[in-house]
Amino acid sequence: MLHVHYWIVFCCILNGQHDISASDRHRDPLRQFQAAGDYILGGLFPLYSTGVHWMTETKSELGKCESFQLNGFYWLQAMKFAIEEINNSSTLLPGVTLGYDIQDTCLKSSIVIQSAISFLTAKDGNRFELKCDYTDYSTRVLAALGPSNSELSKVIARLFSFLLIPQISYAASSNLFNDRTDFPSFYRTVPTDEVQAAAMVSMVKTFQWNWVAVIGTDDMYGRRGIEHFTKLASRTGICIAYEELIPLNLPGSKFQRKMVSVIKNIIYSRVNITAVFADEQYVQILMMIIHEQNVTGKVWMASEAWVTSEVVASTPNISSIGTILGVAIKSGHMPGFECYKSAALALRDLPSVKFQRCGSGGRLLEEECNECRTQSVEEDADSDGKDLERISFNVYAAVYTVAHALHRLLRCDLGNCSKSTIYPWQLLKEIPQINFTLHGRAIFFDKYGNPPTGYDIINWQWRSGNQIPEFKMIGEYRAQHKELRINTSLIQWNTPQNKVPGSNCSTSCESGQIKMVKGFHSCCYECADCPAGTFQSDDNQCTPCLKNEWSLLKSTECQNKTIEFLRWTDTLAILLVSLTTAGLLIIAAIIGIFINNLNTPMVQLAGGKTCLVMLVSMAISCCSLYCFMEKPNWLLCTIRQPIFSFGLTGCLSAMLVKSFHISGLFREIGFRAQWWPRVLRYLGVCSLVFIQIILCSVWQTTSPPSVFANYNISVKVIVMECDEGFMTGFGLLLGYNGLLAVASFLCTFMVQSSAKTYNLARHITFAMLIYLMAWVFFIPAYATAKGKFVSSIQLFAGLVSIYGIITAYFLPKCYIILLKPEFNNQAYCQSPKDNPTPTSESQ
């Protein structure tokens, strides 16, 4: 649905673009550069802008796109320079010519949309074709570079993503584009805003500042910069004393008043460190007002958008405002480019000048080739000069990214490229795979389309008699390792004696208090009493109590925790003991009844002597329940689970053997002699119990139970528990008994009996059903329970199981033996196997 929405917007835009080529022909030649080639790359650069000045009162005065942008012109030349280098290369895309279609964005959304749509037109036409399937649709450009900021990139990124046209931005740093669902075709050669903020926060931490201000323009760049900076700062205990967004749509006088208000708030907040996220034209105005307000001696942290701006650096008397530190996009080395762009700038009004190829691959004046070659050598020898190419290198790297992806796609590794029709989506699939080195810089992308590069750390330094500062590199931030390396001795602080300024929010806490976060962000602290679980040990620290101790709020000492376990005197324990004792008495009574009537048909039907095994086994399980009481020790923890499990296993094993017998399984497998069932009955019971003994032995050997002191239940108590060790072993004991019960249930629940005979199978079914329900409820209850009553859950499950077997299996038989002796005869007490129904006989 979201893509349909994009498509509707896209079509609405197209309705106003009747003839792209016609509108392009009326553009100024300086605003559009084109060159033919086998594959065309699009470029979006700010050659002109509307300009910004706070003295302007009306927007109409700012509407014309007439202010020449030198940086944009240089970036454009970097793209041309890279393409011409590649076209002259014998190793990268041999025999393939790249062309370009470069257009001016004017730093306006309306214009960048027009340029983007012109890139989407058909390769051999001037209109965009509406199709259901764009798999085989060839656009005018194979890939697009730009635009120059996140605001403009956001406007057109979804258009390019709709057709899966690779878009590689050289300056859009917003983390918004990390969303690969919305922007699957977006890549960039500039680090993200989050990396920039991390570098700036690392600088703040390096100088142990924790009281800072942050301001920015009310656009995507400023908002995202402030957002990431404040988020990272709060995580590291840095206090954001003041933050502000500067509106960009205010007329002159209101804009000026707003800027003055921002500066006064910075002064009022008593911060010495202010981070500024804004483009150079707005920072220039800010610096002018800072100087007018006579603000001096502060540190201004510059974002990459203006840290190396000559426009800002040329602001009159800017050296008086204090120290300027900032982060800059890492410089890169492009041999010959300095000469190339200088010649291009000189010739931008001379379109008819004669060109010839130069060794660097640039198109230069014939008389300037020697200078170009000389400069290339000098640049190679001094690659760490003052301020080499930054965004220009990002443009350069973006072009080479496309070239290397196309090189893979055309299978050029064998020396010849297999030229063919290439669709943008095919090129897009290759870009994540590229990994190459460009003049010492590694070029590749992570899963979000971001590069591995970090930032250079820049300090503005004024030399005597020079009004324009030098952009001195004093360190770097490595994004992959999140590491800041800075040479503090190289920093020029505009303070007396070059002293590092301080900017800290400090409070003096009383004895027994600790620092608590103050405000929305993790920054400055206010003093608070020592919390529960600690006690006052000295003037500046609240020391935690020992593991077996606890304390209340504002305590000066800790108290011993109470040791808890299931005591005989607890109400719940009394109830459980009473039920257990009653169960033993009932079992004893049933044993007596069955012994006295051992040879009667009803007792023989129930299992005869096997019933005594079942009853004795249940009695053993009942006795084991007493081991769950009182303070746990090694002996109790070791014996209670095996005794409990063995007792139930004996009972369930006898029940399963009886189930086999009445279901006719012995007869089905050929044991028809009268003595075979009796032999198998005892052999089966012994075998099944022996398996449980083996499981218990393995569990006790590999991970035996032990006494465990649980400190996590309550701050005031220690609960003594039996740690069952390897829970899988404990689970196997219970699971094995559950398996026996399930088997008994399955053997009997479908057995049919005559209405005139005793239904033994139904009683077994009900007994096993009660057993299984008890243990099904036990599992989640045991897993979630806490405290000294955890063991009582197993006691309840065990008692329900035992009482269920007694009630469903043994009590009906006792009722007939004692109260209905007329039914205790051979005719009524027949096993279903001895009196099969027609259905069972047919089966």
Side-chain angles (χ1 to χ4, degrees), residues 353-391:
V353 175
K354 179 182 177 183
F355 291 87
Q356 77 170 39
R357 296 288 180 184
C358 192
S360 66
R363 297 183 63 185
L364 303 174
L365 282 172
E366 184 174 359
E367 62 266 26
E368 294 189 8
C369 279
N370 290 334
E371 179 185 348
C372 178
R373 294 190 183 95
T374 302
Q375 186 167 349
S376 297
V377 174
E378 291 174 352
E379 291 176 4
D380 288 336
D382 186 20
S383 62
D384 58 345
K386 53 177 185 178
D387 184 37
L388 301 179
E389 304 306 330
R390 297 186 185 278
I391 294 183

Side-chain angles (χ1 to χ4, degrees), residues 257-311:
R257 287 196 296 270
K258 179 62 177 178
M259 297 290 272
V260 171
S261 173
V262 169
I263 301 304
K264 288 184 176 180
N265 287 335
I266 291 175
I267 297 172
Y268 178 77
S269 62
R270 298 178 292 107
V271 298
N272 283 333
I273 313 299
T274 302
V276 182
F277 295 89
D279 290 334
E280 60 181 11
Q281 61 265 40
Y282 302 107
V283 177
Q284 184 183 29
I285 300 172
L286 176 68
M287 295 302 168
M288 293 170 60
I289 296 178
I290 291 173
H291 175 66
E292 291 177 359
Q293 296 296 314
N294 197 28
V295 178
T296 61
K298 296 187 179 297
V299 177
W300 303 91
M301 295 189 64
S303 66
E304 51 82 22
W306 66 275
V307 69
T308 57
S309 170
E310 295 184 1
V311 173

Side-chain angles (χ1 to χ4, degrees), residues 199-209 484-486 488:
M200 297 174 74
V201 169
S202 295
M203 286 170 43
V204 174
K205 290 172 56 181
T206 297
F207 298 106
Q208 298 181 351
W209 298 321
L484 176 68
R485 292 188 176 184
I486 188 169
T488 56

Side-chain angles (χ1 to χ4, degrees), residues 7-41:
W7 175 242
I8 293 173
V9 176
F10 183 64
C11 290
C12 291
I13 296 172
L14 284 178
N15 288 334
Q17 304 297 319
H18 299 293
D19 193 340
I20 297 299
S21 61
S23 62
D24 287 344
R25 286 194 294 270
H26 291 87
R27 290 191 179 186
D28 188 288
L30 285 176
R31 304 190 187 190
Q32 184 178 18
F33 295 81
Q34 292 181 337
D38 299 321
Y39 304 98
I40 305 299
L41 307 186

Side-chain angles (χ1 to χ4, degrees), residues 456-493:
D456 290 335
I457 308 301
I458 302 297
N459 175 222
W460 287 20
Q461 299 186 356
W462 285 266
R463 304 304 178 188
S464 57
N466 193 349
Q467 295 296 320
I468 304 298
E470 172 191 352
F471 305 137
K472 179 71 173 179
M473 190 176 79
I474 58 171
E476 65 174 338
Y477 179 79
R478 298 184 175 182
Q480 286 186 294
H481 305 289
K482 297 182 179 180
E483 176 187 15
L484 176 68
R485 292 188 176 184
I486 188 169
N487 188 344
T488 56
S489 64
L490 297 178
I491 300 177
Q492 182 185 91
W493 302 101

Side-chain angles (χ1 to χ4, degrees), residues 24 97 116 372 395 540 628 696 740 757:
D24 287 344
T97 302
C372 178
V395 177
N540 301 312
F628 289 80
C696 183
L740 297 178
T757 60

